Amino acid sequence: NNPSSKYEADGRAVILITRKLSRKEGFQAIVSETASFKKEFNNYAGINSSLKLKDTEFKANFNYNALNPWESNGSNYEIPSQNIVSGYGVAGVTKRNNYVFGGGIFHTIDENNSLSFSLNGNLKSDDFDFNTNTNNQDNNAQTNLHTIGKTIGDRNYINSFFNYNKKINESANLFAGLQYSNYNTDSVIRSSNNYNETIYEPFQMMDQDFKVDVFSGRLDFDKKFANEMKWEIGAIHSSANADTNLKIENFEQNTVSASTYNLKEKNTSAYTQLSGTFAKISWLLGVRAENTNIEGKYATETVASIKKDYTNFFPKLQVDIPIDSTKTISFNYAKTISRPDFSSTSNGETYINPYFVFSSNINLNPALSNEFSVNFQYHDKSVKLAYFNNKNVMNYGFQYNEQENILIYRPENFDKEIGYNLEFTLPFTHKIWSSTNVFSVIVNKIEDASALVGNEKPYLYYYSNQTFAFKKEWSLWASGFGLTQRDEGVFKRNAFFMMNIGVSKTYKNLSCTLSFNDIFNGSTFTENFKVNNVQSSAVFFGDNRECSIALRYTFGKLKDSVYKEKEVNENSDRIK
């Protein structure tokens, strides 16, 4: 929690994994197969291998997943100013061939120098059939509509990065890295409408291409001093270029529209921080500066529609005060940023029916957050109290296009979000029983000038995992998590609970796991709100109820892998 200034300001937590060095050679391969039964059958198969020869280690993996995800959502909404009352329900199944592959090499030049290179890919081909039932009342004119459609598309993601690590001396280290990421998607959607139980007639053909390339580079330096103080400094630069080509043929209105939109974004950041110990009190003080330059322009424009250039500073402060050998109090402050992914700020659209469209938002801005927290740790148990204040928080809202009589559902920046969180973490171990429990009491309020803001009420998040480890490598577990009803100012969301159970057995190099997820079928989510004079009651159905059996077999042995790598662009999750 509260990662230091070294890490991107877009994020509140970091997981670090450090592997031990070893001179041992060896080869290892892990073959896995998982059969998953949801609403449709899904299958996951893969191989992951490692080879170490003296100072060089190789890794390679390949997975083929034959997936059939089901999805469904619906909404009832009213626009009183237009005398419109409407509702829809849409459902569909995707037939997806998914190929996941990767390879890498790590080479130890000497005890002070090492380098690595990795290339990873995730390729998907989608064939998506959907159908929508709509009841639309416009100025007392009632329409019953059935829309059917088919989407054929591809989504491909390639990611590669290069790392160089140098140990300058016993107290100083240098890291340099480069990364290139590419994501592109191409989809064609054809749909037809049947008005009032007549005949199906062609409605629309949409051809949409989206591509983003991101180049990143970073340099980190750290040095320890004789008094155990540590100084860290570094700089990161990334450059993104995204293109969207959109063509829509409307057969009902006999119209064709086309657009090409280009988005360029550059982020340059630098950080410095000091950490150390004074009278047994551990402390960390850091600051990160990030400059962002964005330009978005349609091909037909002479002047850019979007032009932004801003700099933000993100201070970090952490103080750990030990009371005795079992108790510690920690104080934290952090300012962070949450940036929208690139597809959300492109020029994309997806029609549910002739009256309702999901859309991106080229004007979307990042959200800024300030968080204060105090944590009391007793052995492995803790209680934490946090306060946060977010500006420009991102949520979905509505825009009504009166000229085209279309309701647009898209991500928007809401004015602010203020909340408190009291969290208890209570792990427990007794003989064969291991238990992890987290309980959070949350008060959260989202506000916006365009929305109807209701009351906020405390709600509870809870998570529990119970694991029993028996003899002969048998284990049994049950886990569950959920939320009570959430009244959060603008939004009112339902309570839900999901529970998973499973059993596993390991015999020498073979392990087998049988899992049952969401056994009570609790993944239905509702959301009620009023924005821009549009009152909406939406429901989203999850495809989480699952029975799966997984097999994994390990060939060979590779002890204490030397392989290590570091992602250069810590905002890679925006590339989608």
Side-chain angles (χ1 to χ4, degrees):
N1 290 318
N2 193 35
S4 67
S5 299
K6 180 177 182 178
Y7 302 99
E8 298 289 344
D10 190 348
R12 298 182 182 181
V14 166
I15 296 176
L16 295 178
I17 299 173
T18 303
R19 292 171 170 163
K20 296 179 181 179
L21 301 180
S22 173
R23 296 293 179 183
K24 298 178 181 179
E25 298 185 4
F27 171 79
Q28 186 178 73
I30 300 173
V31 179
S32 61
E33 160 65 24
T34 300
S36 167
F37 301 87
K38 294 186 175 182
K39 285 187 179 294
E40 303 287 337
F41 177 72
N42 299 271
N43 193 78
Y44 306 80
I47 182 170
N48 191 308
S49 62
S50 300
L51 171 66
K52 190 172 190 306
L53 299 172
K54 295 183 179 179
D55 297 322
T56 305
E57 186 172 340
F58 304 88
K59 282 187 178 291
N61 67 279
F62 178 79
N63 294 72
Y64 170 65
N65 306 321
L67 310 178
N68 298 281
W70 173 89
E71 54 188 308
S72 177
N73 70 81
S75 177
N76 293 317
Y77 59 89
E78 297 181 25
I79 312 175
S81 62
Q82 306 296 321
N83 198 21
I84 292 175
V85 178
S86 188
Y88 76 86
V90 60
V93 175
T94 300
K95 296 185 183 299
R96 175 178 300 155
N97 291 315
N98 181 205
Y99 303 89
V100 181
F101 60 89
I105 180 173
F106 179 88
H107 179 67
T108 302
I109 301 172
D110 53 43
E111 62 180 11
N112 296 321
N113 296 273
S114 64
L115 55 85
S116 66
F117 174 78
S118 294
L119 175 68
N120 304 287
N122 192 331
L123 312 181
K124 302 175 184 178
S125 61
D126 288 345
D127 186 349
F128 177 62
D129 296 315
F130 66 92
N131 66 84
T132 308
N133 289 307
T134 305
N135 292 308
N136 189 73
Q137 182 178 310
D138 188 346
N139 287 313
N140 298 320
Q142 184 76 32
T143 301
N144 294 318
L145 173 64
H146 188 211
T147 303
I148 58 173
K150 187 179 188 66
T151 300
I152 298 175
D154 297 291
R155 288 184 288 163
N156 301 321
Y157 177 64
I158 299 293
N159 187 34
S160 61
F161 45 91
F162 170 81
N163 288 180
Y164 172 69
N165 293 275
K166 181 176 181 60
K167 185 177 181 181
I168 299 174
N169 52 47
E170 291 300 320
S171 61
N173 298 283
L174 179 71
F175 169 83
L178 298 171
Q179 183 170 345
Y180 167 71
S181 304
N182 169 269
Y183 174 77
N184 67 81
T185 176
D186 179 9
S187 64
V188 177
I189 306 174
R190 293 180 173 88
S191 57
S192 299
N193 288 328
N194 183 327
Y195 290 90
N196 298 317
E197 299 182 1
T198 53
I199 62 173
Y200 286 96
E201 295 182 350
F203 163 50
Q204 187 185 83
M205 185 176 75
M206 177 183 291
D207 190 343
Q208 185 168 230
D209 301 332
F210 174 70
K211 177 184 177 182
V212 57
D213 295 285
V214 182
F215 293 89
S216 305
R218 71 179 297 152
L219 192 67
D220 297 317
F221 173 79
D222 65 79
K223 179 175 175 58
K224 289 183 179 179
F225 298 94
N227 59 359
E228 295 301 316
M229 185 179 293
K230 185 178 181 180
W231 176 49
E232 298 172 80
I233 189 171
I236 304 96
H237 177 78
S238 67
S239 178
N241 187 75
D243 291 298
T244 306
N245 296 302
L246 178 63
K247 181 181 180 182
I248 302 175
E249 295 184 58
N250 189 314
F251 302 111
E252 293 182 346
Q253 300 177 7
N254 196 26
T255 60
V256 177
S257 62
S259 65
T260 298
Y261 181 74
N262 174 255
L263 173 70
K264 294 181 180 179
E265 178 179 321
K266 294 181 180 179
N267 288 292
T268 303
S269 58
Y271 72 89
T272 184
Q273 67 183 30
L274 283 172
S275 59
T277 303
F278 176 75
K280 295 185 179 181
I281 298 175
S282 300
W283 57 272
L284 181 148
L285 179 64
V287 64
R288 185 182 186 92
E290 295 187 359
N291 173 261
T292 301
N293 184 284
I294 300 174
E295 182 177 294
K297 183 176 178 294
Y298 287 96
T300 56
E301 292 180 328
T302 56
V303 179
S305 296
I306 304 297
K307 199 169 182 64
K308 303 174 184 178
D309 190 349
Y310 54 86
T311 300
N312 290 309
F313 292 89
F314 301 96
K316 299 271 186 176
L317 173 64
Q318 179 173 332
V319 179
D320 298 327
I321 304 174
I323 300 172
D324 56 31
S325 61
T326 63
K327 306 182 200 62
T328 302
I329 295 179
S330 301
F331 298 91
N332 297 282
Y333 165 71
K335 182 178 181 180
T336 59
I337 189 170
S338 179
R339 295 185 175 90
D341 58 66
F342 291 107
S343 61
S344 294
T345 52
S346 68
N347 184 38
E349 293 183 348
T350 301
Y351 279 77
I352 299 299
N353 57 39
Y355 317 110
F356 193 100
V357 59
F358 284 88
S359 174
S360 54
N361 183 359
I362 64 172
N363 294 296
L364 200 61
N365 289 312
L368 294 171
S369 175
N370 286 280
E371 182 173 0
F372 303 83
S373 68
V374 57
N375 184 80
F376 174 71
Q377 186 85 24
Y378 176 66
H379 290 293
D380 57 353
K381 299 170 178 61
S382 66
V383 57
K384 176 182 176 182
L385 177 63
Y387 162 80
F388 59 87
N389 188 324
N390 301 336
K391 295 182 179 179
N392 290 330
V393 60
M394 289 178 283
N395 283 287
Y396 273 83
F398 290 113
Q399 296 287 334
Y400 178 68
N401 186 323
E402 186 174 354
Q403 182 179 355
E404 298 183 12
N405 191 27
I406 292 176
L407 185 62
I408 302 170
Y409 185 59
R410 69 178 191 177
E412 302 276 2
N413 289 115
F414 285 47
D415 292 337
K416 62 180 179 180
E417 177 182 20
I418 298 174
Y420 300 87
N421 180 16
L422 179 62
E423 180 179 281
F424 299 87
T425 303
L426 305 169
F428 172 79
T429 302
H430 178 70
K431 295 183 179 179
I432 65 170
W433 177 24
S434 297
S435 174
T436 301
N437 306 281
V438 179
F439 302 93
S440 294
V441 181
I442 304 166
V443 180
N444 192 43
K445 187 173 185 178
I446 301 170
E447 300 181 52
D448 191 75
S450 68
L452 176 65
V453 181
N455 296 325
E456 74 278 10
K457 297 179 182 179
Y459 60 90
L460 176 68
Y461 164 80
Y462 48 94
Y463 167 81
S464 182
N465 179 281
Q466 314 299 320
T467 301
F468 299 88
F470 299 101
K471 295 180 179 179
K472 297 183 179 180
E473 301 295 326
W474 281 95
S475 63
L476 175 69
W477 73 89
S479 66
F481 72 96
L483 288 159
T484 58
Q485 181 173 301
R486 291 155 287 163
D487 295 334
E488 301 177 294
V490 172
F491 298 96
K492 186 173 183 177
R493 297 169 171 133
N494 68 309
F496 71 90
F497 170 71
M498 283 190 276
M499 183 175 180
N500 311 318
I501 59 174
V503 60
S504 67
K505 164 66 176 174
T506 300
Y507 180 75
K508 294 185 178 179
N509 294 336
L510 175 66
S511 65
C512 177
T513 302
L514 178 64
S515 302
F516 299 91
N517 297 326
D518 193 13
I519 58 177
F520 297 124
N521 202 20
S523 54
T524 298
F525 312 99
T526 63
E527 185 176 74
N528 295 277
F529 63 99
K530 185 176 183 179
V531 174
N532 287 322
N533 296 315
V534 179
Q535 177 69 52
S536 171
S537 177
V539 59
F540 304 88
F541 301 97
D543 188 18
N544 297 314
R545 195 173 195 182
E546 176 188 35
C547 173
S548 68
I549 182 167
L551 300 173
R552 187 178 69 172
Y553 189 82
T554 302
F555 299 89
K557 197 170 186 179
L558 184 66
K559 291 185 177 180
D560 298 329
S561 170
V562 68
Y563 200 103
K564 59 181 178 180
E565 59 189 23
K566 181 177 180 180
E567 194 168 37
V568 176
N569 180 9
E570 293 162 357
N571 277 319
S572 293
D573 60 340
R574 297 179 61 208
I575 307 172
K576 57 184 177 182

